Amino acid sequence: MDFVAVSIQAANTLDKYVQSSAAIGDPREDVTEYIRAKQFKPNTMLALRELVNGVGTEMAIFKELSKVPHEQVRNFRNDMYLVSEALRLMAKSGKPQIATGDAAILKNYKGHIDKCTRFIPLWVKVAVALALGLGTMVGWKRIVVTVGEKIGKNHLTYAQGAAAEITAMATIGAADGLGLPVSTTHVLSSGVAGTMMANHSGLQWATVRNLLLAWVLTLPAAMTLSGFLFFAFRKLF
Amino acid sequence: MAATVPATSSAPAPAAATPASHMAEKLNRKPGMMGMLAFGLVLIIGVIFIGYSLAHDLGDLQLGSALPYILLGTALFVALGFEFVNGFHDTANAVATVIYTHSLQPHIAVVWSGFWNFAGVVTSTGAVAFAIVSLLPVELILQVGSGAGFAMVFALLVAAILWNLGTWALGLPASSSHTLIGSVIGVGIANQLMQGRSGTSGVDWAQALGIGKSLLLSPIFGFILASGLFLLMKAVIKDKRLYEAPVGTEPPPFWIRALLVFTCTGVSFFHGSNDGQKGMGSIMLILIGVVPTTYALNHAVTP
């Protein structure tokens, strides 16, 4: 089976980097701790190798993912998740240094693992698409009015609209390419504001103030809300 | 109620009155019967498909009680509610300029944007979804079927819904991306604190800093780029019509109109892809937690 071969290859590759000082602990715990705290220790590599071996052995027994017994599904998935995340963090942090050839082997292996655990059924995509689409068609007016009428003192001209929208599209495109999270919302509203300034049209400062407030407050507000709710739900569940 | 614009008038109408009243009329017009029917049809087909797929997936499962089903239903409802509220904010990015320049009728613009949102979602790969999942505390991901795991998912979603709803109610364009990331970080910190560790360990601060930087820079970037682009247009494109507010409901010259519709399409598509994935990540977590046998592993793959 392809996976088992790839798995053995990955374990052998990892083995090259296991230091003699490493001590065997609980592979799951050690790798979990690494992912949580992001501190690479000598034991981590050993633990990772053990997990990879474990996953490979189990896969050889089960042969098909649909044949994994109910009771073992969760653990099996968790092991694969841990391996994938650990490999990702190691590659990202560069600790320890892995030779290019070895890195390619590990990346290939990770690809196999991810295929097993990362998938989204079509019905989920359809449900999400419908919910999103519905939402866009129901609540759109409020924000559209803010952007169109409440930022600048004068009515948006054709050129201003074009400049702002091109900016928004270019920014998402660039952000996507660079893997950066940018806020299209903020880019658009500030784009409109920018064209208003460039046109000497004047800005409605009340709106701009509100925009700035939303901009500054969103992260802390969401953090506080979710943290608080988490405490509350932990008590309840 | 027809707007009465004098057929021959050389004197300009009072500056604020005519464009504003045209726009108000446009925005308040209700979608036609055909539009509503078509929309209803798409909705019904979608729901049937979802119900059928879910029933098929869960078919062979013998779950002990009704509780998992109730939990699944509630959690799905909340996750989809999150996407629904997300939608309120998103459309504005794509359609505001298209509507205000009369490039498309409001309801057509919204449906067009909605369609491309849908396309974006369905064609997305899920990479962003799983990237968000990996921002969450690893111990909770591993126990996603437990009380702690559900607390995490619900806290995340409800917080984001509340903030999205609140800012929408006030008409404030807030960023749904940052709302979600804030929720994720908040859960991470709360989880750490509850376990008696200092709140700062376990959160990927390099990641958080990067996000903070992009939060700060993107509006400034947008402001500068758009004003620069506008000035460039003014210098290069001499057509006076472009720099006036629309007269009545006249759409812009063809090429600008096409450009605006094109950018609206692009923004809708990318946004659908991006924002849809937030909901998908949450839903996958829920499915893995409640019905791991079916969803924790990809049955369709031969490793």
Side-chain angles (χ1 to χ4, degrees):
Chain A
M1 249 192 344
D2 191 41
F3 182 84
V4 176
V6 171
S7 169
I8 293 175
Q9 192 189 31
N12 289 339
T13 310
L14 288 171
D15 196 43
K16 288 196 231 170
Y17 296 88
V18 176
Q19 293 169 316
S20 44
S21 56
I24 291 217
D26 180 321
R28 273 194 200 134
E29 263 179 42
D30 286 346
V31 178
T32 307
E33 185 56 27
Y34 167 60
I35 296 172
R36 196 190 65 76
K38 320 237 183 328
Q39 303 273 42
F40 186 83
K41 299 193 189 112
N43 294 353
T44 311
M45 191 58 93
L46 182 60
L48 186 57
R49 189 200 72 193
E50 288 307 299
L51 267 187
V52 170
N53 275 331
V55 168
T57 314
E58 285 173 328
M59 191 66 90
I61 299 174
F62 299 137
K63 292 204 184 34
E64 292 280 343
L65 287 174
S66 45
K67 297 215 177 70
V68 177
H70 298 296
E71 330 76 66
Q72 303 189 0
V73 167
R74 222 169 234 158
N75 277 337
F76 193 41
R77 182 211 157 75
N78 281 346
D79 285 347
M80 287 202 268
Y81 180 81
L82 286 173
V83 167
S84 176
E85 269 301 285
L87 286 173
R88 181 183 75 90
L89 283 172
M90 263 171 39
K92 192 167 120 174
S93 67
K95 292 192 191 65
Q97 284 275 29
I98 309 262
T100 326
D102 293 337
I105 293 177
L106 291 175
K107 191 161 168 218
N108 177 38
Y109 171 69
K110 181 174 186 308
H112 275 90
I113 294 250
D114 287 344
K115 256 201 298 176
C116 297
T117 55
R118 293 187 179 191
F119 69 103
I120 302 182
L122 183 61
W123 69 263
V124 171
K125 291 191 183 173
V126 171
V128 166
L130 278 180
L132 190 65
L134 255 177
T136 61
M137 292 192 218
V138 167
W140 60 276
K141 231 189 269 177
R142 266 196 131 81
I143 310 262
V144 167
V145 168
T146 302
V147 172
E149 290 174 15
K150 302 215 174 125
I151 297 182
K153 283 203 176 130
N154 292 345
H155 196 290
L156 203 67
T157 64
Y158 299 126
Q160 285 173 321
E165 190 74 3
I166 295 173
T167 304
M169 182 169 170
T171 314
I172 327 184
D176 259 5
L178 297 169
L180 287 174
V182 271
S183 164
T184 321
T185 312
H186 290 315
V187 168
L188 182 79
S189 12
S190 55
V192 169
T195 61
M196 288 291 166
M197 286 290 261
N199 203 35
H200 308 290
S201 299
L203 295 171
Q204 296 183 40
W205 290 105
T207 313
V208 172
R209 186 205 60 210
N210 287 342
L211 278 174
L212 283 174
L213 267 180
W215 175 33
V216 163
L217 287 179
T218 295
L219 264 186
M223 277 168 60
T224 317
L225 263 174
S226 74
F228 182 70
L229 282 170
F230 183 70
F231 277 126
F233 288 148
R234 283 293 269 130
K235 300 296 179 201
L236 283 175
F237 285 146
Chain B
M1 155 197 103
T4 47
V5 178
T8 52
S9 167
S10 47
T18 321
S21 64
H22 275 129
M23 188 48 80
E25 194 194 315
K26 259 197 175 184
L27 290 176
N28 291 329
R29 205 179 297 151
K30 298 248 172 248
M33 183 53 97
M34 280 311 299
M36 302 277 245
L37 277 179
F39 183 65
L41 194 64
V42 169
L43 202 56
I44 291 175
I45 296 177
V47 170
I48 293 178
F49 174 71
I50 294 166
Y52 173 75
S53 303
L54 196 50
H56 177 260
D57 283 349
L58 299 177
D60 332 303
L61 223 52
Q62 305 287 14
L63 291 171
S65 63
L67 185 62
Y69 291 111
I70 295 176
L71 190 54
L72 182 64
T74 314
L76 277 179
F77 182 71
V78 173
L80 291 175
F82 164 73
E83 279 303 334
F84 182 74
V85 175
N86 239 16
F88 298 171
H89 279 277
D90 283 2
T91 333
N93 298 332
V95 304
T97 53
V98 159
I99 290 178
Y100 276 87
T101 54
H102 304 292
S103 302
L104 284 177
Q105 296 292 329
H107 287 288
I108 297 184
V110 168
V111 170
W112 181 252
S113 174
F115 172 75
W116 286 101
N117 264 305
F118 183 92
V121 172
V122 168
T123 56
S124 63
T125 56
V128 172
F130 295 113
I132 292 177
V133 167
S134 67
L135 283 176
L136 290 164
V138 61
E139 323 87 271
L140 293 179
I141 301 278
L142 295 178
Q143 317 157 39
V144 71
S146 67
F150 285 120
M152 165 183 79
V153 177
F154 277 112
L156 191 67
L157 290 172
V158 175
I161 290 177
L162 287 176
W163 185 248
N164 269 330
L165 262 181
T167 50
W168 170 79
L170 297 170
L172 294 177
S175 166
S176 18
S177 310
H178 292 119
T179 307
L180 188 77
I181 289 174
S183 305
V184 167
I185 295 178
V187 166
I189 295 178
N191 183 49
Q192 291 290 98
L193 288 174
M194 283 188 81
Q195 304 203 341
R197 288 190 268 248
S198 97
T200 54
S201 70
V203 175
D204 193 341
W205 287 108
Q207 182 84 286
L209 208 62
I211 290 165
K213 267 193 274 185
S214 90
L215 174 59
L216 201 66
L217 295 177
S218 57
I220 298 173
F221 184 71
F223 187 87
I224 296 174
L225 187 62
S227 47
L229 189 57
F230 179 75
L231 291 173
L232 181 67
M233 286 173 81
K234 241 190 163 161
V236 171
I237 304 165
K238 298 296 185 188
D239 186 348
K240 278 236 172 306
R241 272 180 308 162
L242 294 179
Y243 305 98
E244 318 269 298
V247 176
T249 56
E250 194 183 308
F254 177 74
W255 66 275
I256 286 243
R257 188 179 191 183
L259 186 63
L260 281 166
V261 173
F262 173 69
T263 51
C264 166
T265 310
V267 172
S268 306
F269 183 80
F270 286 124
H271 228 94
S273 174
N274 253 294
D275 277 53
Q277 298 205 42
K278 296 172 196 145
M280 285 187 237
S282 319
I283 292 182
M284 286 320 292
L285 279 180
I286 293 166
L287 290 175
I288 294 166
V290 181
V291 214
T293 320
T294 319
Y295 295 110
L297 298 167
N298 189 0
H299 295 294
V301 156
T302 328

